[in-house]
Amino acid sequence: MKNRTILTIAVFIFSCDSEVKIKEYPSLPKYIQTHNRSCYSDEAEKFSNVDNMLADLYAHSHYKDSFELNLRLGTFYYYRKSFDTALVYDLKAREINPSEPKIHFDIALTYCELSQWENALNSINAALSVCGDKWEYLNSKCYILSNLDSCEQSIKVGLISYRMQPENKKIYGNLLDCFDKLGQRDSIIKFIDLATQKFNLSNDIVAELKQKYHYRGD
């Protein structure tokens, strides 16, 4: 009985110790100590918008080294179209965990918005080196290579993405752009047919290509 009690206690201690090691960041406390509010206008300006509030939160946070926090802030500013700010948090997240492919993908998207195509290519290649079977990553590489005028390579990558996920509307636009740059009429007609059947596309780019290549499929 005594031995069983000792064993139970040992197992309990070991399991608790393991749990602490696994949990990288402790939960935020329910109540946080803050300074009393003041009536001064400079304090009001400090929290006049979400950007200022988040900047202040981050500046005084004990969680600056949280991958998740930096990842989410990067995403927030990306969708706010504050791409330079998004990149700051993205790069911090990459510094914390460079083995996570998602952050390399996010950085590639941010570089695309900044028209930094070489940097975008390096980042998407880093994502693919960790996780090479995601059609989203291949689709983005196709787009990036197109903007670098590496159309033959772009088409090669894009067709892999297309075969993996033919329901992805964006890949048709990426491929059509490169087919057009290379003057590959047969491929353009084929993919206009496919895209029209699947999505009933009728945007200006498709209309221009139909006219340019004398498309009569419809």
Side-chain angles (χ1 to χ4, degrees):
M1 181 69 179
K2 181 178 179 181
N3 290 338
R4 184 180 296 175
T5 303
I6 293 172
L7 179 62
T8 302
I9 293 171
V11 169
F12 177 76
I13 292 172
F14 178 77
S15 64
C16 289
D17 183 56
S18 298
E19 185 179 350
V20 171
K21 289 179 180 177
I22 292 170
K23 189 182 292 184
E24 187 177 356
Y25 299 103
S27 300
L28 286 170
K30 187 173 181 180
Y31 298 103
I32 301 174
Q33 293 292 329
T34 60
H35 297 295
N36 289 330
R37 295 181 184 179
S38 72
C39 296
Y40 298 110
S41 60
D42 58 342
E43 287 295 311
E45 286 297 317
K46 187 174 168 183
F47 296 103
S48 61
N49 57 51
V50 174
D51 292 347
N52 289 347
M53 184 184 72
L54 285 175
D56 185 77
L57 169 68
Y58 188 83
H60 296 92
S61 172
H62 297 296
Y63 292 78
K64 289 188 188 68
D65 292 330
S66 163
F67 173 79
E68 189 70 20
L69 175 61
N70 285 280
L71 181 71
R72 289 178 180 274
L73 285 171
T75 300
F76 170 79
Y77 282 108
Y78 177 87
Y79 287 113
R80 287 283 292 266
K81 300 187 182 301
S82 300
F83 302 117
D84 288 320
T85 304
L87 188 60
V88 170
Y89 293 110
D90 286 342
L91 294 176
K92 177 64 176 177
R94 185 182 69 181
E95 180 185 329
I96 294 166
N97 187 4
S99 64
E100 170 55 58
K102 176 173 172 45
I103 189 57
H104 293 290
F105 178 59
D106 285 1
I107 290 171
L109 295 183
T110 304
Y111 276 134
C112 286
E113 295 294 343
L114 295 168
S115 298
Q116 296 183 25
W117 303 110
E118 290 289 351
N119 287 333
L121 182 60
N122 290 335
S123 292
I124 203 64
N125 282 338
L128 286 165
S129 70
V130 181
C131 188
D133 61 349
K134 276 192 170 291
W135 63 265
E136 300 98 320
Y137 296 178
L138 292 165
N139 186 44
S140 291
K141 183 170 181 176
C142 171
Y143 173 70
I144 292 164
L145 288 169
S146 173
N147 281 278
L148 287 167
D149 291 325
S150 299
C151 279
E152 290 184 0
Q153 191 178 356
S154 174
I155 290 169
K156 183 178 178 180
V157 172
L159 288 174
I160 297 172
S161 178
Y162 165 74
R163 287 191 289 269
M164 293 172 70
Q165 179 53 274
E167 301 303 318
N168 170 29
K169 190 182 293 188
K170 288 183 178 180
I171 196 62
Y172 294 88
N174 293 341
L175 287 169
L176 285 169
D177 180 58
C178 276
F179 291 144
D180 181 38
K181 287 178 179 178
L182 296 175
Q184 296 182 1
R185 183 182 186 279
D186 290 346
S187 295
I188 286 173
I189 299 303
K190 175 184 175 180
F191 273 82
I192 286 179
D193 277 338
L194 289 169
T196 303
Q197 291 167 16
K198 282 182 177 292
F199 309 111
N200 193 26
L201 292 182
S202 59
N203 60 34
D204 292 340
I205 295 174
V206 172
E208 288 174 13
L209 289 174
K210 285 181 177 181
Q211 183 176 5
K212 180 177 180 180
Y213 291 94
H214 308 291
Y215 177 79
R216 293 291 181 267
D218 52 0

